[in-house]
């Protein structure tokens, strides 16, 4: 069980233009379990492994445990995340780059992506290109959230659609992902072997308003970034109160159901 890091400013009146590694890592256990479940289903050895959307690099040990002899490279678009990863893990190569435009110098054995592709607009059309960066028989494994109809997201966007927030939040990009059956159809139809499934985790969170803290560190960021500083604190208070009602605490903690979608692709010839 985990809770939010104590350093979070409850007013949310400052800048939120950049990713905050300490806030993100406050829920590292909930984010690492799906990654471990994904990697366990990737077959075969590998000498080159690339992690697209590596964040702060805290999941690299899972990759090293799975492929101890491999050359591992982490890719992330956030300079704050890359700086943190390089500081904590200087033995690994971490590069700041966009998932959609990154190119390896040569085809690689394994590409993994954990809860990152949902931030790439139209990522389904990008998948063939990502698979094309593998050697023949290489594996591409990714996991994306499948909870965009959950109360945490529904409340966020319903609230953001009200005034005075709507004037600032209309048209902002939302993370999005498909179901496992959609990815299965897409990628099998392109001649690849595909293993696709979904899992709903019941995360037991502790601490005050943990669902709010978890959402603030990831899914709510586009809304917070769009709001001017003078509205951000007010929005945070209203969102916090609504989530507290939607996810009431239980004697042992607050339960956050979280559906995730998994896909492992073996590139066909």
């Amino acid at each position: 069980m985990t809770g939010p890091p104590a350093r979070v400013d409850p007013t949310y009146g400052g800048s939120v233009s950049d990713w905050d590694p300490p806030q993100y890592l406050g829920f590292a256990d909930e984010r690492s379990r799906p990654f471990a479940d994904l990697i366990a289903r990737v077959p075969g050895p590998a000498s080159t492994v690339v992690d697209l959307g590596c964040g702060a690099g805290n999941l690299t040990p899972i990759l090293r445990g799975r492929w101890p002899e491999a050359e591992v490279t982490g890719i992330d678009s956030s300079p704050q995340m890359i700086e943190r990863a390089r500081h904590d893990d200087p033995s690994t190569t971490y590069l700041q780059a966009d998932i959609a435009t990154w190119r390896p110098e040569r085809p690689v054995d394994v590409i993994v992506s954990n809860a990152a592709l949902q931030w790439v607009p139209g990522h389904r059309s990008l998948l063939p290109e990502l698979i094309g960066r593998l050697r023949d028989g290489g594996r591409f494994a990714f996991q994306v959230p499948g909870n965009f109809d959950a109360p945490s997201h529904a409340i966020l966007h319903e609230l953001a659609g009200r005034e005075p927030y709507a004037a600032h939040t209309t048209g902002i990009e939302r993370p999005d992902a498909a179901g496992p059956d959609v990815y299965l159809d897409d990628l099998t139809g392109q001649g690849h072997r595909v293993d696709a499934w979904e899992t709903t985790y019941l995360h037991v969170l502790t601490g005050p308003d943990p669902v709010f803290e978890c959402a603030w560190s990831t899914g709510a960021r586009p809304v917070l970034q769009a709001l001017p500083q003078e509205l951000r604190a007010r929005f945070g208070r209203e969102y916090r109160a609504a989530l507290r009602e939607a996810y009431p605490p239980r004697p042992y903690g607050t339960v956050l159901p979280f559906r995730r979608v998994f896909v492992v692709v073996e590139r066909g010839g």
Side-chain angles (χ1 to χ4, degrees), residues 47-269:
S47 59
T48 52
V49 178
V50 175
D51 184 357
L52 294 181
C54 66
N58 54 299
L59 299 181
T60 301
I62 296 176
L63 296 177
R64 295 203 178 283
R66 176 65 180 82
W67 296 286
E69 305 300 323
E71 173 188 331
V72 178
T73 302
I75 307 292
D76 203 278
S77 62
S78 166
Q80 290 72 32
M81 289 294 196
I82 290 296
E83 180 182 5
R84 175 66 178 262
R86 288 171 175 168
H87 176 271
D88 292 350
D89 182 18
S91 63
T92 298
T93 299
Y94 292 101
L95 304 176
Q96 183 185 347
D98 186 273
I99 289 176
T101 58
W102 163 82
R103 300 290 187 280
E105 294 181 358
R106 63 187 186 280
V108 300
D109 296 323
V110 173
I111 296 174
V112 300
S113 182
N114 185 60
L117 289 176
Q118 75 275 9
W119 295 105
V120 180
H123 70 268
R124 284 175 59 196
S125 63
L126 179 65
L127 296 180
E129 187 172 338
L130 292 175
I131 294 170
R133 300 170 194 175
L134 296 165
R135 64 166 177 80
D136 288 344
R139 286 85 67 205
F140 174 43
F142 66 92
Q143 176 269 125
V144 288
N147 67 333
F148 297 113
D149 58 352
S152 56
H153 287 268
I155 292 169
L156 173 70
H157 296 297
E158 192 277 330
L159 180 59
R162 301 178 193 167
E163 294 298 344
Y165 312 120
H168 306 280
T169 61
T170 299
I172 63 170
E173 291 185 349
R174 299 187 186 185
D176 191 30
D181 56 325
V182 175
Y183 294 117
L184 179 66
D185 284 344
D186 285 351
L187 300 171
T188 302
Q190 296 165 18
H192 308 297
R193 295 180 61 183
V194 180
D195 180 15
W197 71 99
E198 65 179 75
T199 298
T200 297
Y201 298 89
L202 298 181
H203 297 306
V204 180
L205 309 178
T206 60
D209 299 316
V211 177
F212 172 81
E213 301 292 350
C214 185
W216 181 81
S217 69
T218 51
R221 295 193 65 78
V223 172
L224 294 171
Q225 290 169 357
L227 293 174
Q229 182 172 338
E230 60 271 18
L231 289 179
R232 202 171 296 141
R234 174 180 167 183
F235 182 91
R237 289 191 298 270
E238 294 182 20
Y239 186 39
R240 180 194 297 269
L243 288 179
R244 189 182 302 136
E245 182 175 346
Y247 299 92
R250 305 183 188 187
Y252 51 84
T254 300
V255 178
L256 173 63
F258 204 125
R259 175 177 175 258
R260 292 187 181 269
V261 175
F262 301 81
V263 181
V264 176
V265 184
E266 184 174 344
R267 180 182 177 180

